[in-house]
Amino acid sequence: MLYEATGYEPTTWPDSYWRASSARLPGFPPLDGQTRADVAIIGAGYAGLNAALELVEDHSANVVVLEAAQPGWGASGRNGGFCCLGGARLDAGQITRRMGRDAAQDWDRFEHAAIARVKGNLARYQIDAQTTEPGEMLLAATPRAWAQMRTQPLPQGGALLDRDDLCAQGLNTGTYLGGRYVPQGFGLHPYAYATGLARAAQQAGVRLHGESRVTQIAPNPEGWRLSTATGAVVARQVLIASNGYSDERLVPWLARRILPAISNILVTRPLTKAELQAQGWTRHLMAYDDRILLHYFRLLPDNRLMFGARGGLSFEPASVARFGQRARAEFDLIFPQFRQAETEFAWNGLVCLTASRAPYIGPVPGAEGLWLALGWHGNGVAAASEGGRCAARAIMGDAGAPPALVRRPPPRFVAPRKWALAADMALAGLVDGPMRARPN
Ligand SMILES: Cc1cc2nc3c(=O)[nH]c(=O)nc-3n(C[C@H](O)[C@H](O)[C@H](O)COP(=O)(O)OP(=O)(O)OC[C@H]3O[C@@H](n4cnc5c(N)ncnc54)[C@H](O)[C@@H]3O)c2cc1C
C-alpha cells in the first residue's frame, strides 16, 4: 500500500457528514466458509455494485461481492457527490490526437451515459439521494483563465457568466472572475447512493459480504479462488473493483500501474439565510475551479457548505491537520463572509490515477478470467457506475462494451510514485500560483 495503514483500516469510518446524516444500516455479514459463484467481485463501491446488478439482472449470473469494510466505506461513500462528466484526465483534443476522433466521440457518449445511468439507478431502485439542481459551474481563478474560458465553444444549453452575472445568479465569491456553466450532471448524497445500490443488489440476489477483505487470489482448476479470513470463493471470473484502495500485492501485474491520491473534504455548520445573503452565494449548484489542484464546493440541502480540495501526501495526523488548515484558509478566501462558520466535519479518502490518464476496464493480461475496473481520476460517481456496468458486459463476452479509451491497459509509473505525486503537486502549485482575494 502506498500510504500509512490508517488510511485503509476498514473498522475506522471517516468523520463524514454523509454517514452522520444517514440512518445506520445493519452490516452485511462476513463470508462464512467455502462457496462458488459465476463471478466474484472485490469491492462494494459504485463500480462493484453496478457490475453486480448488471450481472444478476441482465445475465442471471450467480454473483458474490466481497467488501473489506462495508458497502460505501471507500470513496463511494465519502466523496463530494458531484455526479458529473469526467473520469479521465484527457480532453477531447488529447483523446483525438492519441486515438482518433471516433474514440473521443465514444468517450463523450460514455460520459453522458454515465450521468444518465446514475439518474436511472436512483429512479429504478428508489434511492433517495437528495439530488440538487442540474448542471455545474467551472470558475476561473485568474484573468488568464477567464480570457481563455471566453474563447472556448459552449456546449448546448451552456452559458458564460462574468463576475456581475455570477453575483446576480447567487454565485458570488471573493476570488473568481467568471464562470462557464454546463447543464449536465447533478449533486447527490454519495453514501445514500452507495448504500441504496447495496440494498438493491441484495434484493436482486447478489450475495454481499462485509468485513471480508480478500487476502489472496489464486488460480484454481475452476477459475480463481479468493480467500478471506473466514472463507473462500471459487469463481470462473473475478472483477477487481477496489480503485484507490486496491492492494497491489493481490495481482502482481497491477503493481505500480495505479496511483492512489488523497482528496479532502470539509463541511461547515448550516449557514443562516443572512450569511448566505451577505456572501451572495445562495445557489445549490455544483461548482469547481480551474486550478490543477482544484477546489470543488456546493451548498448542501441544509445549507452547510461542502468544500473539497485535492492534495496531501500522508494520512499521518500532523500532515492531515496541516492540509486541513490550508484547505480552510483557501475556503476563507473564497467565501470571506462564511469565515465565522465552523468546520463541523472533515475527512479524506483515496482517488485513483493511472499513467495513461484514463480508467482501465478490461482483463488482467495473461490471467484469463481476472478483470479490472478502476482509475476514475477522482470523478467516479458517474464514471464508476457506468464503468462497472461496462465491465460486467465485457465479462459476459461483449469485449466492445467499454469505450476504446479505457480498453488500453495502463503502463507502469516509472518514478517512485510518492515522489512523482510530490513533484506533480509542486509543479501544479507553481502553475496555479497563489490563491488571490479579488474583492468586488
Ligand atoms: C474525498 C473524495 C471526494 C470525491 N469527490 C467526487 C465527486 O464529487 N464526484 C465524483 O465523480 N467523484 C468523486 N470522487 C471519486 C469517487 O468517489 C470515486 O471515483 C468512486 O467512488 C470510485 O468507486 P469505486 O467503486 O471504483 O471504488 P471505491 O468506492 O473506493 O470502493 C472500493 C472498495 O474496495 C474495497 N476493497 C479494497 N481492497 C479490498 C480487498 N482486498 N477485499 C475486499 N474489498 C476491498 C474497499 O474497502 C472499498 O470499499 C471523490 C473521491 C474522494 C476520496
Side-chain angles (χ1 to χ4, degrees):
M1 305 294 208
L2 195 57
Y3 298 97
E4 298 81 7
T6 44
Y8 302 87
E9 178 48 54
T11 53
T12 310
W13 284 82
D15 172 30
S16 109
Y17 168 72
W18 307 124
R19 195 140 179 274
S21 60
S22 303
R24 286 284 143 89
L25 284 186
F28 288 82
L31 178 68
D32 186 13
Q34 318 285 316
T35 190
R36 289 192 150 62
D38 298 326
V39 185
I41 296 175
I42 301 175
Y46 303 141
L49 293 169
N50 270 281
L53 281 159
E54 179 84 13
L55 288 163
V56 167
E57 291 178 340
D58 289 47
H59 302 274
S60 306
N62 182 335
V63 179
V64 170
V65 176
L66 299 173
E67 165 55 51
Q70 289 291 338
W73 177 90
S76 297
R78 56 174 92 188
N79 61 68
F82 281 49
C83 175
C84 54
L85 302 173
R89 275 233 177 124
L90 296 165
D91 62 28
Q94 290 166 317
I95 301 172
T96 305
R97 281 194 291 284
R98 196 187 272 193
M99 298 181 66
R101 198 138 56 99
D102 286 354
Q105 285 171 351
D106 200 19
W107 175 248
D108 184 61
R109 270 193 299 275
F110 172 90
E111 287 182 276
H112 286 81
I115 292 173
R117 167 70 63 196
V118 177
K119 201 168 173 193
N121 280 343
L122 297 179
R124 182 170 176 181
Y125 305 123
Q126 298 180 359
I127 302 171
D128 178 8
Q130 300 170 16
T131 54
T132 63
E133 60 177 300
E136 63 178 344
M137 186 67 70
L138 170 60
L139 294 161
T142 61
R144 192 157 153 250
W146 174 227
Q148 223 170 37
M149 202 178 264
R150 279 177 289 169
T151 64
Q152 284 159 5
L154 280 172
Q156 204 181 8
L160 206 57
L161 287 85
D162 66 17
R163 203 158 188 189
D164 290 342
D165 298 330
L166 287 174
C167 277
Q169 299 245 353
L171 297 166
N172 184 46
T173 64
T175 42
Y176 300 114
L177 298 167
R180 185 173 191 268
Y181 171 78
V182 299
Q184 280 79 26
F186 53 87
L188 54 66
H189 189 301
Y191 185 68
Y193 175 43
T195 50
L197 287 174
R199 204 185 50 235
Q202 189 184 41
Q203 279 165 6
V206 173
R207 285 177 286 153
L208 212 167
H209 295 287
E211 298 167 41
S212 299
R213 176 179 293 286
V214 175
T215 52
Q216 193 188 32
I217 305 176
N220 175 279
E222 292 174 53
W224 298 93
R225 186 173 192 276
L226 275 55
S227 307
T228 73
T230 53
V233 180
V234 170
R236 183 144 304 284
Q237 314 260 18
V238 172
L239 175 64
I240 299 167
S242 42
N243 207 45
Y245 291 92
S246 298
D247 183 347
E248 295 166 39
R249 292 166 300 190
L250 286 180
V251 181
W253 182 85
L254 194 56
R256 289 191 287 113
R257 286 180 204 270
I258 54 170
L259 174 48
I262 299 176
S263 193
N264 312 269
I265 289 182
L266 67 86
V267 169
T268 66
R269 65 157 164 76
L271 295 151
T272 63
K273 281 223 166 72
E275 286 169 330
L276 296 174
Q277 294 294 349
Q279 177 60 57
W281 185 274
T282 51
R283 295 274 294 280
H284 288 72
L285 190 67
M286 303 185 291
Y288 66 109
D289 66 24
D290 61 352
R291 296 169 67 85
I292 306 172
L293 294 176
L294 91 168
H295 305 97
Y296 50 98
F297 34 87
R298 64 188 180 95
L299 270 184
L300 301 181
D302 61 359
N303 287 341
R304 293 169 187 274
L305 202 111
M306 189 218 77
F307 182 85
R310 296 258 169 88
L313 287 166
S314 162
F315 286 121
E316 288 291 342
S319 163
V320 171
R322 224 175 16 253
F323 194 81
Q325 278 160 10
R326 200 178 97 194
R328 179 66 211 214
E330 292 168 349
F331 169 101
D332 289 346
L333 211 64
I334 297 169
F335 296 107
Q337 299 299 326
F338 298 161
R339 274 205 178 117
Q340 70 292 350
E342 312 81 39
T343 299
E344 284 199 347
F345 298 89
W347 69 94
N348 56 29
L350 290 173
V351 303
C352 183
L353 317 176
T354 67
S356 64
R357 296 175 166 256
Y360 179 56
I361 304 176
V364 174
E368 201 191 327
L370 203 52
W371 299 79
L372 291 161
L374 40 69
W376 318 111
H377 289 83
N379 251 318
V381 173
S385 297
E386 182 64 2
R389 300 273 177 168
C390 289
R393 293 202 285 275
I395 289 169
M396 287 293 125
D398 181 1
L405 178 68
V406 308
R407 296 203 299 264
R408 303 218 303 205
R412 288 210 152 95
F413 284 92
V414 183
R417 287 173 294 172
K418 271 212 179 163
W419 292 7
L421 205 53
D424 238 38
M425 281 182 195
L427 188 65
L430 285 177
V431 176
D432 284 341
M435 297 254 322
R436 287 238 172 91
R438 299 180 198 278
N440 291 0

